[in-house]
Amino acid sequence: MTKNNRQAWFPFIVCLAIVAGIFLGFYLKSAIPGKNFFTVEKASPLEEIISLIKNKYVDTLDLKAINDSAIAVVLSRLDPHSAYIPARELQAINDDMKGSFFGIGVEYDMISDTVHIINVLEEGPAATAGMKIGDKILKAGDSIISGVKRNALSIRNILTGQMDSEIKIDILRKGNKNTITVIRGIIPIKSVDAAYMISPGVGFLRLNRFSTQTYSEFMTSLLELKKAGMQKMILDLRDNGGGVLEEAVEIADEFLAGDKLITYTEGVNSPKKEYRCRREGQFEKGELVVLCNEGTASASEILLGALQDWDRATIIGHTTFGKGLVQEQYMLSDKSALRLTIARYFTPLGRSIQRSYENGTRAYYADALNRLGSIKKDSVLRDSSAAFKTPSGKLLFSKGGIQPDIYVAGDSIQITKITRSLIQKGVINQFGYRYYLQHPTLADEYKKPSRFVQEYLQNEDNWMVFQALAAQDSVDLSNVSSAEKEYLLKALKISLARQLYRNEGLYEAANKDDAFVKKALEVLR
């Protein structure tokens, strides 16, 4: 193109660009609902007030704390489960949902201002580096650990970090100081606490949460139990506070046949969404009992509701927590997050099991605490105005949680001030660790948890060790009743089983005298 031609075309090109810009502007304006593309939206009164305080107030203030307080007030007008998560707490919560984190692979406990290594994950980073049970952590990285008052979150934040990052840890082992370098790796947060054959033909499986790895873990355990001869199953959801809804749906699909509805969600700004069975399940016909209590909530209640509505399982225990709200997490600009309730979920029959929170969050949680450990009756009132019938004609109710088909009273033993003090100070939990350090060959003597539970007998030696531990915490056990001593000896055996075999041992030992489990075995007999 010649110079003259370019000059002739130039005005047309400019006009074309202007017209294109106008159309683009109108397009962008229409693409942003509620916002005027050509004007700046006015600040809200809240934003104006914060700005005035920041620029005009007489004294220096912690504006972040003021913002946090303002957020808390706003959320208090919503439901009890919409929550603001500060950036410092978000990683731990996300790890819990993800089912893993980057760390060193140890379990620890703070005993007398010293961090003790209670367990070392087999083949984990710490084990590879040479850390052992009984090591005491003095320093990690640049942070002094022992002799300093730190909470669990603070210690966790020090020990966790980026994948393959390095941390130097100063330890004390049998009076000798040493420095160990650990390369952080992926540490799983297990959803399956225990999976074993509790009696001939009957499998026991306990789930403690619903993370993104729960269904995978569940299927591995389920197939192993089937291979071991499981024909009937006890699924323990006690104190399972929920988590990822989709994982509960996937597990429900393994128990329910056809394309049955498992749950559906709906909210003012969330269209109805159904979750249905999509495949043939691995345990659609065997007898099933599910255990629940006041700590069973959210995703656990979704699973319970589906199984109960379709007459697929016998529910045993206490009325569940009663959380029928669905949250979605939104990231905020300062790396904190808002977990906002966006919908309610409903059981296949259309039951909403959400407890009332009209009296405020404090009363809402107080009601749940008041029901914990009830030994006389199930204290949740059933809403008889909202009754539903299952295919077999069984009558079910809405609101206030999932009511069990069979109620089990709690332990009738009267816990005294002495035992409560031992529990609060962690002395019972610490017993297994301390006794193991004195008797490190116990695991070799009893190769499996089942053998330990059947053959290991508590003796006066155990009691003397425990008395000495209690005395260190100013608790005198010389005058406890025979009934309370028997209760404590059982608790000590459970503590030792957990130290030797982790959660698998804990539940095999605890289930031996567990009223819920005994009732389940009666039903399946």
Side-chain angles (χ1 to χ4, degrees):
M1 184 181 290
T2 64
K3 181 178 180 180
N4 289 335
N5 284 338
R6 284 199 300 270
Q7 289 175 339
W9 279 95
F10 184 73
F12 176 75
I13 293 171
V14 171
C15 287
L16 186 62
I18 292 171
V19 170
I22 291 172
F23 276 105
L24 178 62
F26 279 112
Y27 172 77
L28 290 173
K29 177 184 176 183
S30 63
I32 307 176
K35 294 187 182 292
N36 191 323
F37 184 73
F38 298 102
T39 61
V40 177
E41 190 171 321
K42 289 183 179 179
S44 70
L46 178 61
E47 291 171 325
E48 289 179 311
I49 290 170
I50 296 295
S51 178
L52 286 168
I53 291 172
K54 177 181 178 181
N55 295 307
K56 301 293 185 181
Y57 191 68
V58 62
D59 293 322
T60 302
L61 293 172
D62 183 350
L63 287 174
K64 187 178 186 310
I66 291 175
N67 273 302
D68 288 352
S69 298
I71 291 168
V73 170
V74 170
L75 292 180
S76 70
R77 302 303 295 263
L78 305 181
D79 64 278
H81 300 291
S82 290
Y84 170 68
I85 307 170
R88 64 182 179 276
E89 299 174 13
L90 185 60
Q91 187 62 52
I93 292 172
N94 286 342
D95 288 344
D96 198 55
M97 286 292 185
K98 187 174 63 175
S100 66
F101 63 97
F102 300 139
I104 66 172
V106 297
E107 183 182 342
Y108 52 85
D109 194 7
M110 180 72 79
I111 303 175
S112 302
D113 289 335
T114 301
V115 174
H116 289 240
I117 301 301
I118 305 297
N119 182 48
V120 181
L121 179 67
E122 190 175 345
E123 297 182 359
T128 301
M131 293 188 75
K132 296 181 179 181
I133 295 173
D135 287 347
K136 302 175 183 65
I137 299 181
L138 305 176
K139 185 179 179 184
D142 296 326
S143 302
I144 296 173
I145 302 292
S146 289
V148 179
K149 286 189 177 181
R150 292 187 180 275
N151 58 33
L153 180 60
S154 168
I155 297 171
R156 176 193 170 101
N157 288 340
I158 292 168
L159 297 179
T160 57
Q162 296 298 313
M163 178 68 176
D164 293 329
S165 60
E166 182 182 284
I167 183 169
K168 292 185 181 300
I169 300 176
D170 294 346
I171 65 165
L172 185 67
R173 180 184 298 167
K174 295 180 179 180
N176 299 314
K177 292 183 180 180
N178 192 14
T179 299
I180 295 178
T181 301
V182 184
I183 307 299
R184 296 183 179 97
I186 298 176
I187 309 301
I189 303 174
K190 294 291 186 180
S191 299
V192 176
D193 278 332
Y196 69 99
M197 296 299 293
I198 194 168
S199 69
V202 181
F204 173 90
L205 195 154
R206 180 180 174 89
L207 286 176
N208 62 53
R209 76 191 70 221
F210 287 93
S211 73
T212 58
Q213 302 302 312
T214 299
Y215 174 65
S216 175
E217 285 185 51
F218 170 83
M219 286 303 296
T220 298
S221 297
L222 176 64
L223 294 175
E224 287 177 354
L225 289 172
K226 287 182 68 177
K227 190 181 295 184
M230 180 178 69
Q231 297 174 329
K232 303 175 183 180
M233 182 179 183
I234 300 172
L235 177 62
D236 190 351
L237 296 180
R238 286 175 293 175
D239 297 314
N240 183 323
V244 182
L245 179 149
E246 288 78 8
E247 298 292 300
V249 168
E250 294 294 331
I251 291 174
D253 201 349
E254 297 301 328
F255 296 118
L256 297 171
D259 67 342
K260 288 185 174 66
L261 179 65
I262 296 170
T263 187
Y264 65 91
T265 62
E266 194 169 18
V268 172
N269 296 303
S270 299
K272 182 177 180 180
K273 182 177 181 180
E274 292 187 344
Y275 297 83
R276 291 183 171 273
C277 295
R278 298 179 290 106
R279 61 180 175 273
E280 184 177 349
Q282 288 292 324
F283 202 76
E284 291 182 355
K285 295 181 179 178
E287 284 188 66
L288 177 64
V289 167
V290 187
L291 308 181
C292 63
N293 65 2
E294 299 87 344
T296 305
S298 191
S300 295
E301 292 173 297
I302 290 174
L303 177 54
L304 277 171
L307 297 176
Q308 191 177 50
D309 281 17
W310 288 113
D311 293 310
R312 177 62 188 91
T314 301
I315 312 300
I316 293 178
H318 296 174
T319 298
T320 60
F321 183 86
K323 178 182 180 292
L325 301 174
V326 181
Q327 286 73 47
E328 191 162 304
Q329 188 166 295
Y330 300 92
M331 290 300 299
L332 305 177
S333 58
D334 66 346
K335 296 184 179 180
S336 61
L338 173 65
R339 188 164 287 176
L340 185 67
T341 296
I342 61 166
R344 287 180 171 83
Y345 76 75
F346 300 83
T347 71
L349 291 177
R351 292 189 290 159
S352 168
I353 51 89
Q354 175 62 46
R355 281 188 300 115
S356 171
Y357 47 86
E358 61 183 14
N359 293 324
T361 298
R362 182 175 295 179
Y364 176 76
Y365 284 108
D367 172 61
L369 288 173
N370 290 338
R371 292 193 287 121
L372 282 173
S374 170
I375 63 173
K376 294 182 180 178
K377 63 179 182 177
D378 205 341
S379 58
V380 175
L381 295 176
R382 299 182 176 187
D383 182 2
S384 58
S385 66
F388 301 79
K389 280 188 178 180
T390 70
S392 70
K394 182 169 61 180
L395 203 61
L396 301 177
F397 299 92
S398 185
K399 299 181 181 178
I402 299 287
Q403 285 88 25
D405 301 311
I406 300 173
Y407 178 74
V408 177
D411 197 330
S412 60
I413 185 172
Q414 296 298 311
I415 301 299
T416 68
K417 183 178 179 181
I418 291 175
T419 297
R420 281 198 299 271
S421 178
L422 291 170
I423 293 170
Q424 291 168 357
K425 294 180 178 182
V427 180
I428 295 175
N429 287 338
Q430 292 169 11
F431 170 81
Y433 165 67
R434 300 220 189 195
Y435 194 82
Y436 169 79
L437 292 181
Q438 297 175 15
H439 304 82
T441 62
L442 270 177
D444 297 326
E445 295 176 38
Y446 303 93
K447 298 293 184 183
K448 294 182 178 181
S450 56
R451 186 179 167 191
F452 175 84
V453 171
Q454 291 169 8
E455 299 179 11
Y456 183 79
L457 300 175
Q458 294 284 54
N459 53 42
E460 201 58 30
D461 179 42
N462 300 94
W463 185 249
M464 295 297 290
V465 171
F466 186 59
Q467 275 189 307
L469 288 177
Q472 290 176 15
D473 281 286
S474 303
V475 180
D476 183 6
L477 294 177
S478 58
N479 295 314
V480 296
S481 67
S482 57
E484 190 161 17
K485 181 176 179 179
E486 182 182 355
Y487 172 86
L488 287 171
L489 283 171
K490 287 179 180 178
L492 298 184
K493 184 172 181 177
I494 293 169
S495 174
L496 186 52
R498 184 182 187 278
Q499 180 62 45
L500 296 175
Y501 312 102
R502 314 317 305 150
N503 284 330
E504 189 85 22
L506 185 156
Y507 287 102
E508 287 206 36
N511 286 345
K512 191 173 184 297
D513 295 303
D514 188 287
F516 290 66
V517 174
K518 285 181 177 179
K519 179 59 70 174
L521 289 171
E522 285 178 20
V523 169
L524 294 174
R525 190 166 297 153

